[in-house]
Amino acid sequence: MKKIIYTITSLVLVSSVMLSSCTKDFTEINTDPNGTPTALPEQLLAPALVGSLTTVMLRNRSFNNELMQVTVDPSDAEGRVFRYDYRPGVSDAIYNGLYTELTNFKDIYKAASQELTYNKSYMGISLICQSWIYSILTDTYGDVPYFESNLAKDSGIYEPRFDKQQDIYTDIFKKLDTANVYLGTGTEILASSDPVYGGTVANWRKFGNSLYLRLLMRVSAKPEMAEFCKAKIKQIVETYSIMASNDESAILKWTGFGPFSSPYLAVREQDFRQPGLASFFIDHLWTWDDPRIDIPTYGTNSINRWGIAPYSGSYEGIPSGYAPGENPVKKSYFYSNTSKSSLMTEPLTGIMMNYAELKFILAEAAVKGWIKGSAETYYNDGALNSITLWLPKWPVKIKDFLTTAHIQWDDNLSFEDKMERIHLQKYYALFLVDLQQWFEYRRTGHPILPKGAGLKNNGVMPARMVYPVYVQSTNPTNYKLAIANQGPDQIYTQVWWQKP
C-alpha cells in the first residue's frame, strides 16, 4: 500500500509540473505538491530526498555522463549530448524536479520551526538540502530564482526574479553556517525518517560542512570571493566537523523496497545497455588494472563491481565526439538488470557527496597552500576511499597501486600537472554524483578530455543548460532581466564563477 501511495504521489508531482504553464507551474511548485501543508518534518524528509536524487541521477546518466566521456550514446542524429549538441527540452527536468522538491524542504524547515514540532536538527537538515539543491540549480543554469522561489503559497509570488549567482552563493554560505549551529545542538530526529544517515544528526552536520568546502572551492577563483573562501576553508578544516570515513558519506542507499527502489529501474533495460562506454572513462581503468572492473578477484556473479561488460577479453570504449559517419562499434557497456549484477539495482548510486571527494578537495587546498597537511596524503586517501567505497575489503596498499599504475603523487610536478593528477582521480570519485564531474571540469579544465572531430559549440565544453522554454513566455520580464545580466540564453554563456 505504501508503495502504491508513493507511486501515485510521484505521478501527481510530475504531471503537475510538466503539464502546466509557468504561472501555474510556479503555483504548483510553490504549493506543497503532496497536499499536506501540516505534514511533520519526519513525513516529508524521505520523499523529498528520493525525489531530488531521482531527478539528478537520471540527468547524471543521460547528460553528465555523455558530456564528460563516461558514456557515448552512438548516433548521427541531431541533438547528441556527447557532441555538445542538445535540445532545449533537456533543460526542463532538472529545473522542474528540483524546484518541486525545494517546496518540501522548505516545508520541513517551516514545520520544524513551529512551537509544537520545534526541532533544530530538522531545520539544519532542511538548510543543508536546500543548499545542495540550489547549488546544483545555479551551477547548471547560472542566475536562477532563489530569494523569491517557492513563495507562491505564502507570498503570492508567481513570477520570481532571477538572482545573481554571487548573491545565491553568498546566501548558501549563510545557510550552511546556520545549519552547523542548529545541528550542533544534537537534537534527536526520527531514525526511520532519515534514509541517508538513519537519524545520526552528527553525520548530517559533517555532510553540511563538507558540502560547504565543495562550494567554497567552486567560487574561490573569483577575485571578490578569494580571500573569504581561503579563510573559510581553513577555518572549516581546522575547527568544524567534516566527514571522516566512507561510512559518513552522504548516500541514500537504495533498498529495493517501496519508495527506496533505484530510479534507474525506471529506465528501460535496453536503454540502460544502449550507450557504450567512452574510451576516456574505461581506458584508464583498464590501464591501471583498477579493482572496480576486476572480475576474477573482486567481481560477483562473474560481473565486476561497476557492472561493466568486457569486450573480447578486455575493456574497450568508443571515442567521444566522433564525427558523423564514423560509426564506431560499441564495445564495453553497463549491464542492465537482466544480468545478475547491475548498477540499476546498486544500493550505492544515490550519492549526494562521498568522502573521497572531500579528500580531493583537501588535496587541492593543500597544493594551493590554503590549509596545513600533506597534499600527497590527501591525494592517497582520496584514491583509496574512492576504491574502498565500492570494495571495502580491498587489501592492496594504495601507494603500491598508484605506483604500479604510474599515477603516484610527485611533489616535483608542475602546479597544473598536480591539478590534473588530483582531478583525474576525483573524476572517478565523482562517478554517478549528479552533475559534479561537469561542474568541476568547467571550474578547472581538468581532467583533460580528448576532443573529437564531431564536437559542436566550437569544441568548447558547454558552460550551462539553457532555461526551460516555457520560462521565456510565462515569466518574460524576469527572464529578460536574467539574460541582460548574465548573457545570451545559450550553452556557451559562462556562469559567474566561470567568467575571468
Side-chain angles (χ1 to χ4, degrees):
M1 179 60 72
K2 289 182 180 178
K3 181 174 182 179
I4 294 172
I5 293 172
Y6 185 85
T7 301
I8 293 172
T9 301
S10 300
L11 290 171
V12 172
L13 263 171
V14 171
S15 62
S16 70
V17 173
M18 297 303 293
L19 299 179
S20 57
S21 70
C22 185
T23 300
K24 184 178 178 183
D25 181 77
F26 277 114
T27 304
E28 296 294 340
I29 285 173
N30 297 333
T31 303
D32 181 359
N34 291 319
T36 55
T38 58
L40 298 174
E42 55 264 34
Q43 295 172 309
L44 293 172
L45 181 58
L49 288 165
V50 169
S52 301
L53 282 163
T54 296
T55 295
V56 297
M57 283 176 61
L58 293 177
R59 273 296 171 257
N60 167 272
R61 177 186 171 274
S62 63
F63 184 80
N64 176 89
N65 286 358
E66 292 284 299
L67 283 182
M68 290 303 298
Q69 301 194 21
V70 176
T71 57
V72 180
D73 191 3
S75 172
D76 285 347
E78 294 294 317
R80 308 312 294 180
V81 177
F82 73 87
R83 289 199 182 98
Y84 302 170
D85 178 30
Y86 47 92
R87 297 181 177 87
V90 171
S91 300
D92 292 8
I94 289 279
Y95 200 92
N96 294 336
L98 294 187
Y99 272 114
T100 296
E101 296 307 334
L102 276 169
T103 297
N104 282 328
F105 285 119
K106 292 190 174 190
D107 281 348
I108 289 170
Y109 187 92
K110 186 187 304 180
S113 304
Q114 302 301 311
E115 183 178 357
L116 294 179
T117 54
Y118 190 74
N119 187 300
K120 283 192 173 182
S121 290
Y122 279 119
M123 292 165 67
I125 291 168
S126 168
L127 292 176
I128 289 169
C129 292
Q130 288 182 50
S131 299
W132 171 61
I133 289 177
Y134 276 125
S135 71
I136 295 172
L137 284 166
T138 189
D139 290 346
T140 299
Y141 303 98
D143 296 353
V144 292
Y146 181 83
F147 292 102
E148 291 185 353
S149 81
N150 303 78
L151 292 179
K153 181 172 63 175
D154 295 330
S155 304
I157 298 174
Y158 299 108
E159 296 182 19
R161 72 173 185 267
F162 289 64
D163 295 292
K164 294 180 179 180
Q165 189 175 55
Q166 181 179 355
D167 296 335
I168 293 170
Y169 260 90
T170 299
D171 197 70
I172 284 175
F173 295 154
K174 292 177 182 177
K175 279 183 168 62
L176 292 172
D177 271 323
T178 302
N180 181 54
V181 173
Y182 284 169
L183 291 165
T185 64
T187 307
E188 291 185 359
I189 65 171
L190 190 66
S192 60
S193 73
D194 175 11
V196 175
Y197 288 122
T200 304
V201 170
N203 284 349
W204 274 104
R205 192 184 192 199
K206 292 179 179 181
F207 166 45
N209 294 331
S210 301
L211 176 66
Y212 204 159
L213 290 171
R214 171 200 279 177
L215 302 182
L216 286 164
M217 188 62 77
R218 186 147 299 152
V219 301
S220 62
K222 297 299 293 182
E224 60 269 41
M225 299 293 290
E227 292 307 314
F228 167 78
C229 290
K230 292 175 189 177
K232 194 67 185 183
I233 288 171
K234 183 175 186 293
Q235 180 189 14
I236 291 173
V237 171
E238 292 181 355
T239 65
Y240 286 32
S241 58
I242 56 178
M243 293 176 185
S245 70
N246 273 329
D247 290 340
E248 295 176 353
S249 295
I251 302 174
L252 194 162
K253 296 179 181 178
W254 306 109
T255 64
F257 297 100
F260 302 115
S261 293
S262 171
Y264 289 151
L265 288 172
V267 179
R268 294 190 309 171
E269 294 199 17
Q270 59 266 42
D271 291 340
F272 199 85
R273 296 190 301 268
Q274 168 62 20
L277 290 188
S279 299
F280 180 83
F281 177 81
I282 195 62
D283 285 357
H284 287 299
L285 297 172
W286 177 242
T287 299
W288 299 336
D289 194 19
D290 193 289
R292 289 167 290 195
I293 63 167
D294 178 284
I295 293 175
T297 308
Y298 305 110
T300 303
N301 299 318
S302 298
I303 297 174
N304 60 51
R305 189 65 184 86
W306 274 353
I308 296 172
Y311 178 81
S312 298
S314 64
Y315 292 93
E316 297 182 45
I318 301 172
S320 186
Y322 69 86
E326 291 184 359
N327 300 320
V329 175
K330 184 177 83 170
K331 297 175 182 177
S332 295
Y333 60 91
F334 290 115
Y335 286 114
S336 71
N337 202 35
T338 53
S339 303
K340 293 180 180 179
S341 299
S342 166
L343 289 179
M344 292 184 75
T345 53
E346 168 58 51
L348 290 179
T349 55
I351 306 171
M352 302 168 77
M353 183 175 185
N354 60 49
Y355 179 54
E357 179 190 348
L358 172 63
K359 286 295 184 177
F360 290 123
I361 292 169
L362 299 180
E364 180 176 347
V367 169
K368 292 177 174 178
W370 298 350
I371 62 172
K372 296 177 182 178
S374 163
E376 179 179 8
T377 299
Y378 291 133
Y379 172 80
N380 290 347
D381 286 347
L384 173 63
N385 285 281
S386 181
I387 293 172
T388 57
L389 174 66
W390 298 92
L391 296 165
K393 297 181 180 180
W394 186 59
V396 179
K397 291 181 179 180
I398 191 61
K399 284 189 176 182
D400 293 343
F401 170 76
L402 295 173
T403 300
T404 301
H406 304 292
I407 48 177
Q408 72 274 20
W409 188 256
D410 183 352
D411 274 324
N412 295 317
L413 292 174
S414 68
F415 175 81
E416 282 302 317
D417 285 342
K418 288 177 181 177
M419 289 300 101
E420 175 67 13
R421 192 144 294 190
I422 289 170
H423 286 280
L424 180 57
Q425 291 303 309
K426 190 176 185 180
Y427 170 88
Y428 289 96
L430 292 175
F431 174 55
L432 302 175
V433 186
D434 55 76
L435 308 181
Q436 295 303 316
Q437 286 178 333
W438 180 44
F439 298 158
E440 283 294 274
Y441 180 85
R442 286 161 47 200
R443 178 178 74 87
T444 68
H446 297 289
I448 297 171
L449 300 173
K451 301 287 187 180
L455 292 178
K456 300 202 174 176
N457 198 42
N458 294 317
V460 178
M461 174 66 71
R464 59 187 292 274
M465 284 188 183
V466 299
Y467 297 119
V469 175
Y470 64 76
V471 174
Q472 301 177 32
S473 59
T474 53
N475 193 4
T477 300
N478 291 305
Y479 171 78
K480 290 175 183 177
L481 289 172
I483 61 175
N485 172 67
Q486 181 167 263
D489 189 16
Q490 300 292 340
I491 65 172
Y492 56 74
T493 297
Q494 294 182 326
V495 302
W496 164 74
W497 54 251
Q498 278 185 272
K499 293 176 180 177

